[in-house]
Amino acid sequence: VEYEIGRLDQIDNQGMCTGTADSVEVVVFRLDDGRLVALEDRCSHADIKLSEGTFEREGAGGTIECFAHGAKFDVCSGRHLCMPAVTPVKAFSVRLDGDRIFVTIPE
Ligand code: FES
C-alpha cells in the first residue's frame, strides 16, 4: 500500500525527512543524484530512530549511522554494515509525484 509521507521541502539540510506510513515510522534519504530511498526509522539493534543519526552520501548511495551505538546501514538496501547490528532494517520504495513523497509499505 502506498502512503503519502511528506513533501520535498520537508527534507532537511542533512538530506532526510521522516513520516508515518500506516503505523510504520519511515525515514527518507535524498541521494546525490536526487533519488529518494526510504528505510524503517528504527535501528535493528534497539528502539532508536535512525533519523537521529548521521547520514553520509557515498557514491550512488549512502549510509546512516545510528547515534546510539554506531551501527551503520546501507540506505538503499537497509543492509547492516557493522556491529552491533546483526540484522537489516526494512527498505521501502519511494515515488515522487510533483513535490509529494509516497512510500510503499508491503502488506
Ligand atoms: S540502537 Fe542503534 S546501534 Fe544500538
Side-chain angles (χ1 to χ4, degrees):
V1 184
E2 197 176 60
Y3 298 89
E4 181 171 0
I5 64 133
R7 294 188 320 274
L8 273 184
D9 62 10
Q10 293 170 315
I11 293 179
D12 64 16
N13 292 339
Q14 251 213 100
M16 294 190 280
C17 75
T18 58
T20 306
D22 201 2
S23 55
V24 181
E25 305 274 330
V26 174
V27 52
V28 172
F29 304 92
R30 182 167 52 203
L31 304 178
D32 266 347
D33 62 4
R35 213 156 39 95
L36 301 179
V37 294
L39 298 179
E40 184 169 358
D41 192 9
R42 183 181 187 281
C43 185
S44 67
H45 179 235
D47 190 10
I48 296 285
K49 285 180 181 293
L50 288 177
S51 55
E52 291 175 20
T54 305
F55 172 37
E56 276 189 45
R57 298 180 184 83
E58 287 171 19
T63 60
I64 179 78
E65 179 175 347
C66 180
F67 80 91
H69 316 104
K72 278 191 183 185
F73 300 89
D74 180 310
V75 297
C76 297
S77 66
R79 193 163 56 92
H80 50 298
L81 302 173
C82 69
M83 295 294 279
V86 292
T87 53
V89 295
K90 286 185 189 138
F92 305 116
S93 63
V94 185
R95 184 175 68 85
L96 204 52
D97 183 358
D99 69 341
R100 299 159 71 197
I101 302 169
F102 294 84
V103 170
T104 298
I105 307 291
E107 291 186 54

